[in-house]
Amino acid sequence: MYDFKPDDSLETGERYRQLCDAADALTSDEPDAVANMANVAALMWEFLPDLNWAGFYRVGAGKTGQDELILGPFVGRPACIRIPMDKGVCGAAASSGKVQRVDDVHAFPGHIACDAASRSELVVPVLRDGRTIAVIDLDSPEPGRFTAEDAIGLEKLASLLSGRV
Ligand code: SME
């Protein structure tokens, strides 16, 4: 049994340090990408408060052969399965290779609502050899839920996962 439940009083930086340590422990010796993303989605859900969705989209071939984002392991409500690389917050993160931190999703042009409860969102690309291979997506029902510290913490997690998802 794994028991990674974090202390409620942890400050954000320490919370992400512990999350990254737990993710490292669970994925370092496991070559299966789906198993690794599934466990990391569960860890993000355990460690990060006030979320309504936490998970992955992977870059893969669409029906016309063009790259698009394809739903990966997550915790939350069933979500959009395929997202074009130029659509939504996830597409913006994937195509730019840059973190997207959105305080108010209703003000983001092209935001894709997978759960009407979502109010803010943080999307971080997972890069390998300079190319986006996946994104980590966090949604919250609270406006402005994600700080710059959340973005830094999630980027560390994304970098740890580069060769493992
Ligand atoms: N809101 C995202 C779509 C994915 S869901 O939030 C799970 C977007 O605009 O890309």
Side-chain angles (χ1 to χ4, degrees):
M1 185 187 91
Y2 296 113
D3 192 4
F4 289 115
K5 193 86 189 146
D7 190 326
D8 278 349
S9 63
L10 287 182
E11 55 91 16
T12 304
E14 181 57 22
R15 189 172 285 275
Y16 277 95
R17 267 188 293 284
Q18 293 191 14
L19 166 58
C20 286
D21 284 352
D24 189 31
L26 283 177
T27 62
S28 63
D29 210 18
E30 175 50 62
D32 190 274
V34 172
N36 288 338
M37 287 187 281
N39 262 336
V40 172
L43 283 176
M44 293 191 294
W45 191 258
E46 290 274 358
F47 275 78
L48 305 174
D50 306 316
L51 302 181
N52 62 320
W53 204 90
F56 291 83
Y57 279 87
R58 289 168 308 133
V59 176
K63 287 166 190 155
T64 60
Q66 273 194 320
D67 274 355
E68 59 188 17
L69 290 168
I70 305 168
L71 183 64
F74 67 93
V75 182
R77 302 191 76 185
C80 325
I81 300 168
R82 289 175 182 263
I83 298 177
M85 294 294 275
D86 60 351
K87 293 276 186 307
V89 187
C90 291
S95 54
S96 67
K98 302 240 180 324
V99 175
Q100 303 293 312
R101 185 162 65 87
V102 180
D103 284 341
D104 173 7
V105 294
H106 297 313
F108 188 96
H111 167 255
I112 299 164
C114 291
D115 180 343
S118 296
R119 287 291 175 275
S120 58
E121 182 159 2
L122 177 62
V123 185
V124 173
V126 180
L127 304 171
R128 190 185 298 156
D129 302 326
R131 293 186 56 232
T132 303
I133 57 161
V135 298
I136 304 176
D137 183 14
L138 300 179
D139 286 34
S140 172
E142 286 182 14
R145 154 70 182 81
F146 303 105
T147 64
E149 230 182 336
D150 285 288
I152 290 167
L154 206 63
E155 276 189 293
K156 287 189 182 140
L157 181 62
S159 145
L160 171 79
L161 295 176
S162 170
R164 304 181 188 180
V165 298

